[in-house]
Amino acid sequence: MAEKAGIQLGVIGALALSVTSSVAIVICNKALISSLGFPFATTLTSWHLMVTFCSLHVAQRLNAFEPKSIDLKTVMLFGILNGVSIGFLNLSLGFNSIGFYQMTKLAIIPFTVLLETVFLKKQFSQKIKLSLLVLLLGVGIASITDLKLNLLGSILSILAIATTCVSQIMTNTIQKRLNVSSTQLLYQSAPFQAAVLFVSGPVVDQCLTKQNVFSFKYSPIVLAFIILSCLISVSVNFSTFLVIGKTSPVTYQVLGHLKTCLVLAFGYTLLHDPFTERNILGILIAIFGMGMYSYYCTHEKQKKQNGDNILPSSQIKNKDETTALFGPKGVSHHEKEGTEVKSNGVLNKD
């Protein structure tokens, strides 16, 4: 019982850390990009990842965690895919209207559900699907303003959705399949993510802003905000891996839409951004949908645990035999094959 309570506290802590750090970095980056005129989002993200890796390396040297070797091919593919997905999200924002970009982010949840259902054979109840629909409806009402379409922007959005879904599913799958912690996975993959964005970031930002990041005049206050943003990003990146590892890619996307609603509310309260009754209605619907999702997830998890606890002895024996055949988690050969096929803003995907 105490162990279950500890796990629940760990999940709540991960969710709270993710929300707090994400809102904090949005505030910092809004000041950096909007007020101080530093528009190089993709390059800034590469610096975030480099600082994250350096911070984790220092922590590892201080024995804060034990590094774990991961297959180089797997971690390279994972790191590159994460970096590419961030680049596509930035390009999608740059070449589409705000409304269409918000539609792109909303589409990540149903596509993630589809991929997990098809390739990982994961089942989602009708109640879970209904709660996700309510959540998406609320976020759409609150954030979508226009839907101007163009061919290049649409292609970039499709690529952003595909790479983001796969990278977040891989984050969850790799942690569970290889039994590595979020810290260990982030430590191994951050250099590859940073390298992809460090090389492509200036090019992407040049396309989006028509400015060169290397010719920008860096004042002391701009440097101070860049350093602050990089420090906050350590918490953002860590909590992203932590949340996906402890919950699921779908839950992480649900949390991301909660952050969207909080940022909208923050912008109205403190920054006096334009706010309408439609925004308020959308936020309330989204929060209701998120509450439904949390309730049904918790209820179904408890129901499953109670069912496992009252299994007849014959079924328990069969379950033990399955564990002996297929590994410590009792994963079937078919599920393993699905996992092997799979072998997580615009800054930090938030």
Side-chain angles (χ1 to χ4, degrees):
M1 197 71 180
E3 184 180 350
K4 288 183 181 179
I7 293 173
Q8 290 177 347
L9 286 175
V11 172
I12 293 171
L15 296 173
L17 178 63
S18 180
V19 171
T20 303
S21 58
S22 295
V23 173
I25 204 168
V26 166
I27 297 169
C28 182
N29 289 339
K30 184 176 179 64
L32 184 61
I33 294 173
S34 300
S35 302
L36 300 176
F38 184 85
F40 309 106
T42 311
T43 303
L44 181 61
T45 304
S46 72
W47 298 345
H48 287 170
L49 289 163
M50 284 189 286
V51 171
T52 298
F53 173 73
C54 292
S55 301
L56 290 175
H57 186 68
V58 171
Q60 185 268 317
R61 288 291 185 179
L62 295 174
N63 297 319
F65 70 94
E66 182 180 348
K68 188 169 184 178
S69 177
I70 303 176
D71 175 61
L72 184 60
K73 183 178 178 181
T74 299
V75 78
M76 281 185 65
L77 174 63
F78 172 70
I80 291 171
L81 185 62
N82 264 283
V84 169
S85 71
I86 295 173
F88 278 136
L89 281 167
N90 277 303
L91 285 170
S92 176
L93 177 60
F95 286 92
N96 288 306
S97 65
I98 296 294
F100 194 78
Y101 173 71
Q102 290 296 338
M103 282 295 295
T104 299
K105 292 182 70 176
L106 288 177
I108 292 174
I109 284 185
F111 272 91
T112 301
V113 170
L114 176 64
L115 288 176
E116 289 194 313
T117 301
V118 172
F119 291 102
L120 301 183
K121 308 303 178 185
K122 187 172 181 179
Q123 300 297 319
F124 295 88
S125 69
Q126 294 299 322
K127 292 179 179 179
I128 292 291
K129 292 176 182 177
L130 175 61
S131 64
L132 291 175
L133 180 63
V134 173
L135 170 72
L136 294 175
L137 176 64
V139 176
I141 292 173
S143 60
I144 295 174
T145 54
D146 63 280
L147 290 174
K148 297 177 182 177
L149 302 178
N150 66 84
L151 179 60
L152 177 59
S154 299
I155 293 172
L156 290 171
S157 291
I158 292 171
L159 292 172
I161 291 168
T163 53
T164 300
C165 289
V166 174
S167 67
Q168 291 182 358
I169 291 172
M170 284 182 67
T171 300
N172 182 268
T173 303
I174 290 174
Q175 289 187 55
K176 292 181 178 178
R177 183 184 172 206
L178 302 181
N179 194 28
V180 295
S181 69
S182 54
T183 308
Q184 291 168 332
L185 179 57
L186 181 58
Y187 179 62
Q188 294 286 341
S189 63
F192 297 104
Q193 296 183 57
V196 170
L197 293 177
F198 189 74
V199 172
S200 64
V203 178
V204 172
D205 289 333
Q206 180 90 37
C207 292
L208 297 179
T209 66
K210 310 303 180 185
Q211 299 180 51
N212 192 322
V213 66
F214 300 110
S215 61
F216 185 81
K217 294 182 180 179
Y218 292 86
S219 66
I221 189 169
V222 169
L223 289 173
F225 269 88
I226 289 174
I227 292 171
L228 178 60
S229 179
C230 288
L231 292 175
I232 299 173
S233 74
V234 176
S235 178
V236 173
N237 288 319
F238 174 71
S239 63
T240 295
F241 280 65
L242 193 62
V243 168
I244 296 176
K246 285 184 175 293
T247 56
S248 71
V250 174
T251 299
Y252 176 71
Q253 285 299 326
V254 171
L255 189 69
H257 292 310
L258 170 62
K259 297 172 192 174
T260 299
C261 293
L262 289 176
V263 169
L264 286 171
F266 167 82
Y268 172 72
T269 305
L270 297 181
L271 302 180
H272 305 294
D273 289 344
F275 213 66
T276 65
E277 292 179 356
R278 173 183 166 181
N279 296 129
I280 297 173
L281 176 63
I283 289 174
L284 292 176
I285 293 174
I287 292 174
F288 178 70
M290 187 194 64
M292 288 176 62
Y293 177 80
S294 301
Y295 172 77
Y296 289 135
C297 280
T298 303
H299 179 72
E300 290 180 10
K301 187 175 181 180
Q302 289 176 345
K303 187 176 179 181
K304 183 179 179 181
Q305 289 174 345
N306 292 335
D308 290 340
N309 290 335
I310 60 174
L311 282 175
S313 58
S314 60
Q315 291 188 29
I316 293 174
K317 183 179 178 181
N318 290 337
K319 188 176 180 181
D320 291 337
E321 290 173 354
T322 304
T323 300
L325 285 171
F326 299 116
K329 291 183 181 294
V331 180
S332 69
H333 179 66
H334 185 60
E335 287 172 328
K336 279 188 175 180
E337 287 180 344
T339 302
E340 287 168 3
V341 171
K342 286 293 153 195
S343 24
N344 163 116
V346 163
L347 291 175
N348 301 83
K349 300 185 184 179
D350 289 311

